[in-house]
Amino acid sequence: MLKPIRLDELPRYSPWPQRLLGLAACPVRPKTEKEVIREFEREKWGPLLKGLRLMRSPSVDKAMGLEVDLDAKEPFFESGRFALASNREIQRRYVRLLSAALRPYLKGAAGLVELGAGYGAQILSLSDEKGFKNLPLYAGEFTPSGQEAIRLVAAGLKKKIEVGWCDFRGLASEGLAIPENSVLFTSYSAHYVPEHSAGLVRFIKKWKPKAVVHFEPIYEHQSDATLHELLCRRYIEVNDYSRNLATVIETACRKKEARLLKVEKNVFGGNPLLPLSIMAWTPL
């Protein structure tokens, strides 16, 4: 159940408005490769993997329960509005958003691919959605603990998924035999590279996907027209998240390397100050 809130109520539920206004300490590290490894391999997916190994039948819900309190009420952003909901409800709404945005590209697709898949929460949840159930699954993840967590959760669900290594920063991958004409997506993962190389689109194009859909915070989509977008822009700057993903994609489109299919700005945020945009494109 949702409880609507206003933007000016966010300080009740998050320390970030005070941090961004300089009223509280802001302990943030630059998003170097070393920092990403520390955050995910050592502090997030590493401990989560240990918990999964103790479970008899891991699932997405159980894995998420190791990461967050699923019943805790948190602020989130959806379709221009702010609200409080449980982490379980926020995840349900997010999967529904992913499903709706990806479904138009599924007809005739050879597989579903997530790059930067974490422990597999999104792609494995999608595999139960209508229209996704018979698609072969492929997941690329940077951290070894994340890769192993995906395998454990998939095994607990009795799902087959090919898991490999993927690095947005170095534009490299291993162990991913992705078939041509697959639908590929990223979800809150590409933004961990502060400045993307112009080669990002060419890196993804090597798999000859049918469509590529990014569900990512987009710095270029934060204008100075509203207080919310100003706060979002500053949040991205302070946390050293990506500031040129849209520019890289749009430049590739101008060079006839790709064609934009869809752009929706700031549609959803489990963190209200880090809403994602949807950018879909196809290679040329």
Side-chain angles (χ1 to χ4, degrees):
M1 189 166 180
L2 302 184
K3 176 185 176 183
I5 61 172
R6 301 184 306 275
L7 173 62
D8 62 8
E9 292 180 275
L10 279 184
R12 298 183 189 177
Y13 309 105
S14 168
W16 276 102
Q18 286 194 331
R19 290 173 179 174
L20 297 179
L21 292 170
L23 302 174
C26 191
V28 177
R29 301 177 177 92
K31 291 297 182 290
T32 62
E33 181 175 332
K34 182 178 180 181
E35 168 60 14
V36 172
I37 291 172
R38 179 203 64 77
E39 180 178 349
F40 287 96
E41 182 67 18
R42 298 175 188 169
E43 294 191 2
K44 290 187 176 179
W45 305 160
L48 184 142
L49 177 59
K50 291 180 181 179
L52 288 174
R53 285 171 172 163
L54 298 174
M55 292 181 184
R56 181 169 295 179
S57 299
S59 66
V60 171
D61 202 55
K62 291 177 182 178
M64 287 191 66
L66 295 172
E67 183 189 11
V68 298
D69 180 348
L70 292 174
D71 296 318
K73 297 293 180 67
E74 302 287 352
F76 78 106
F77 176 83
E78 185 178 44
S79 302
R81 298 179 180 180
F82 303 88
L84 290 179
S86 69
N87 283 312
R88 181 179 281 104
E89 175 63 15
I90 292 170
Q91 169 66 4
R92 187 186 71 81
R93 287 171 175 265
Y94 186 32
V95 171
R96 187 173 66 187
L97 169 71
L98 296 173
S99 176
L102 291 167
R103 189 171 287 113
Y105 311 111
L106 295 184
K107 186 176 181 179
L112 181 67
V113 184
E114 182 178 7
L115 298 183
Y119 57 89
Q122 311 315 334
I123 190 168
L124 291 172
S125 294
L126 282 169
S127 68
D128 285 330
E129 294 286 300
K130 182 179 179 181
F132 292 80
K133 294 183 180 181
N134 296 320
L135 285 173
L137 304 176
Y138 304 83
E141 166 57 20
F142 181 64
T143 64
S145 57
Q147 294 169 42
E148 183 60 24
I150 295 170
R151 294 187 182 98
L152 284 177
V153 175
L157 296 172
K158 296 181 171 54
K159 292 181 182 290
K160 184 178 179 181
I161 185 168
E162 182 175 307
V163 183
W165 174 73
C166 176
D167 179 12
F168 291 126
R169 193 182 302 261
L171 301 181
S173 64
E174 291 178 2
L176 286 172
I178 297 170
E180 294 182 17
N181 211 41
S182 294
V183 173
L184 187 153
F185 74 99
T186 72
S187 165
Y188 277 110
S189 56
H191 73 299
Y192 273 88
V193 179
E195 293 290 333
H196 281 286
S197 162
L200 176 66
V201 169
R202 291 190 294 274
F203 168 66
I204 294 174
K205 280 179 64 174
K206 71 181 180 181
W207 287 298
K208 299 181 180 179
K210 180 181 182 184
V212 181
V213 187
H214 298 288
F215 301 89
E216 301 286 348
I218 301 294
Y219 181 75
E220 299 96 319
H221 290 175
Q222 310 307 329
S223 72
D224 58 2
T226 71
L227 176 59
H228 182 224
E229 290 185 18
L230 284 170
L231 289 170
C232 292
R233 180 193 296 180
R234 186 57 183 152
Y235 186 90
I236 291 172
E237 292 170 349
V238 167
N239 284 281
D240 201 26
Y241 291 136
S242 177
R243 292 180 284 280
N244 72 333
L245 180 58
T247 299
V248 166
I249 295 170
E250 290 164 356
T251 299
C253 291
R254 287 195 296 271
K255 292 181 176 179
K256 307 301 181 183
E257 297 178 359
R259 175 170 59 87
L260 273 176
L261 300 173
K262 180 180 184 179
V263 177
E264 287 189 41
K265 300 181 180 181
N266 297 331
V267 295
F268 184 93
N271 176 345
L273 298 180
L274 196 64
L276 64 85
S277 292
I278 301 172
M279 291 194 73
W281 56 274
T282 190
L284 295 176

